[in-house]
């Protein structure tokens, strides 16, 4: 996976927030974290979100696993369910995604 693409998705999430596209912001923020997670977990041979979360948890702790799963659930609500996100809720979700995103970027920089 591409770090550049992940960074681009996080920027798009922020632009979507500014433009009132809250569901898109939640989805883009999640996918930015997912791309970085797949990059960080080199050699992981799965595309399943629960397996990615578990692998992150083994390396970084259960709190990271739970945060990833939280973002995944919000993404499913944004993309596949009847849920409509408002500005503040979407802003909080994007901020949480950005926090995990920045942690992963930092870890990738240490390698």
């Amino acid at each position: 996976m591409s770090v550049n693409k992940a960074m681009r998705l996080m920027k798009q999430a922020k632009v979507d927030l500014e433009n009132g596209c809250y569901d898109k912001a939640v989805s883009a923020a999640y996918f930015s974290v997912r791309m970085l997670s797949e990059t960080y977990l080199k050699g992981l041979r799965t595309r399943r979100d629960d397996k990615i979360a578990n692998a992150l948890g083994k390396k970084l702790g259960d709190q990271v696993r739970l945060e990833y799963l939280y973002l995944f659930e919000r993404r499913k609500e944004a993309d596949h369910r009847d849920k409509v996100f408002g500005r503040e809720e979407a802003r909080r979700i994007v901020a949480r995604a950005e926090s995990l995103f920045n942690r992963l970027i930092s870890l990738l920089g240490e390698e």
Side-chain angles (χ1 to χ4, degrees):
M1 291 285 112
S2 166
V3 172
N4 289 333
K5 176 72 174 196
M7 292 175 94
R8 187 176 181 139
L9 285 170
M10 183 54 73
K11 286 179 187 174
Q12 288 174 3
K14 292 176 185 179
V15 169
D16 288 336
L17 268 180
E18 291 173 17
N19 291 324
C21 300
Y22 305 125
D23 296 334
K24 286 175 59 182
V26 168
S27 186
Y30 162 75
F31 278 111
S32 71
V33 170
R34 180 182 170 134
M35 282 194 160
L36 278 185
S37 297
E38 290 176 355
T39 300
Y40 177 70
L41 299 167
K42 294 178 196 92
L44 186 66
R45 299 184 196 280
T46 186
R47 303 279 297 162
R48 291 188 42 190
D49 291 278
D50 60 329
K51 302 295 183 191
I52 294 169
N54 290 338
L56 282 174
K58 285 181 183 174
K59 288 187 101 170
L60 303 175
D62 198 49
Q63 188 60 38
V64 171
R65 180 184 72 82
L66 292 173
E67 191 68 3
Y68 183 92
L69 289 173
Y70 170 83
L71 296 171
F72 175 57
E73 287 300 318
R74 301 301 72 81
R75 195 283 299 182
K76 288 193 300 187
E77 288 177 327
D79 292 345
H80 301 293
R81 304 235 166 56
D82 211 17
K83 169 83 172 163
V84 176
F85 287 93
R87 183 185 64 186
E88 284 307 308
E89 187 176 15
R91 185 195 56 75
R92 285 190 302 271
I93 293 164
V94 171
R96 288 174 72 165
E98 187 173 26
S99 178
L100 183 51
F101 179 93
N102 289 336
R103 182 167 180 193
L104 290 166
I105 284 286
S106 176
L107 290 167
L108 284 166
E110 293 173 6
E111 293 181 348

